[in-house]
Amino acid sequence: SQQGEEDPQALSIQEGENATMNCSYKTSINNLQWYRQNSGRGLVHLILIRSNEREKHSGRLRVTLDTSKKSSSLLITASRAADTASYFCATALGTGNQFYFGTGTSLTVIP
Amino acid sequence: DGGITQSPKYLFRKEGQNVTLSCEQNLNHDAMYWYRQDPGQGLRLIYYSQIVNDFQKGDIAEGYSVSREKKESFPLTVTSAQKNPTAFYLCASSIKRQETQYFGPGTRLLVL
């Protein structure tokens, strides 16, 4: 089964509003990463947060990590139409080499 | 211009045919990965390689093969044994394991 699960599956908001999406995972992680994918394109890395970190910021993006709840959230503030995309979390476990991707949240920002 | 490239953008496969997807990177990354993405789904790992001449199976390696003869190149062959190959294939690289992955633009494989 997949390690990461995003919630909600789909989100539609007006331009200027904030968008929050969540990721839950099942086992202890070394780090968690968020990626964006525009339709039919490759993934673009947004933020990496390590297991000993609780919050990271990058521009309009804020990521939190709660290892006790095995969950992370991605907040996009002041959303723009260009933020319309699918957002995936990916977890890196133990000493393994793999990342485990969730099924993604599809975000639509309405101009 | 540093980056990771994939070719072709679209690929058509006939029944019983093997096809090869190209992935090249000039980022000097040690690790490279192949993922498969089905509509509305997340990414599933096919194969990964941490170093030249070494690669490991991912979760869905059956019907696929890879090689890593050069650091820059990690081609994926979809064999005739893969009965449901229609999908979007993504190649990625990272400087080392568990670090940020950089993705190519993808190859969409369709069956005729």
Side-chain angles (χ1 to χ4, degrees):
Chain A
S1 62
Q2 290 177 330
Q3 164 73 345
E5 295 291 339
E6 289 90 345
D7 172 65
Q9 289 187 339
L11 180 61
S12 183
I13 59 174
Q14 295 288 330
E15 200 166 31
E17 294 181 338
N18 295 343
T20 299
M21 52 205 85
N22 304 295
C23 171
S24 59
Y25 56 91
K26 297 178 182 175
T27 61
S28 297
I29 61 171
N30 292 331
N31 70 58
L32 184 145
Q33 302 181 33
W34 285 92
Y35 290 82
R36 184 187 75 225
Q37 183 181 35
N38 290 86
S39 182
R41 311 288 286 273
L43 277 70
V44 174
H45 179 259
L46 298 175
I47 288 184
L48 181 154
I49 187 166
R50 301 192 188 279
S51 58
N52 61 352
E53 297 176 311
R54 292 296 168 259
E55 187 170 313
K56 286 190 83 169
H57 296 254
S58 177
R60 295 184 295 113
L61 305 180
R62 173 177 167 250
V63 168
T64 61
L65 179 64
D66 187 335
T67 53
S68 66
K69 295 182 179 178
K70 293 185 172 58
S71 68
S72 173
S73 67
L74 170 67
L75 168 67
I76 304 173
T77 60
S79 63
R80 305 166 182 168
D83 295 327
T84 294
S86 292
Y87 292 82
F88 295 89
C89 67
T91 51
L93 314 178
T95 58
N97 296 307
Q98 295 192 50
F99 289 92
Y100 292 89
F101 284 82
T103 53
T105 292
S106 176
L107 173 66
T108 301
V109 180
I110 302 167
Chain B
D1 222 9
I4 182 165
T5 59
Q6 292 184 241
S7 63
K9 187 173 182 179
Y10 295 96
L11 185 58
F12 298 90
R13 193 191 89 164
K14 296 179 181 178
E15 293 288 339
Q17 185 183 38
N18 293 353
V19 293
T20 297
L21 286 62
S22 169
C23 177
E24 303 277 334
Q25 55 99 359
N26 62 2
L27 301 168
N28 200 32
H29 286 172
D30 285 322
M32 296 188 75
Y33 308 81
W34 273 106
Y35 292 93
R36 170 179 171 142
Q37 186 178 31
D38 292 284
Q41 300 294 313
L43 278 65
R44 290 185 291 168
L45 184 67
I46 305 172
Y47 268 99
Y48 62 93
S49 168
Q50 297 300 307
I51 196 169
V52 172
N53 291 323
D54 182 64
F55 46 84
Q56 304 295 326
K57 293 182 179 180
D59 296 327
I60 56 165
E62 186 174 350
Y64 300 97
S65 66
V66 293
S67 63
R68 186 89 186 272
E69 298 176 0
K70 299 186 299 181
K71 189 175 186 177
E72 303 79 20
S73 179
F74 191 41
L76 173 74
T77 296
V78 184
T79 74
S80 57
Q82 173 49 246
K83 298 306 179 187
N84 184 25
T86 297
F88 190 50
Y89 290 86
L90 288 158
C91 180
S93 70
S94 63
I95 193 165
K96 58 181 181 178
R97 70 179 186 86
Q98 296 196 357
E99 292 300 320
T100 298
Q101 293 196 347
Y102 295 83
F103 283 82
T107 292
R108 191 166 299 280
L109 177 60
L110 301 166
V111 176
L112 295 175

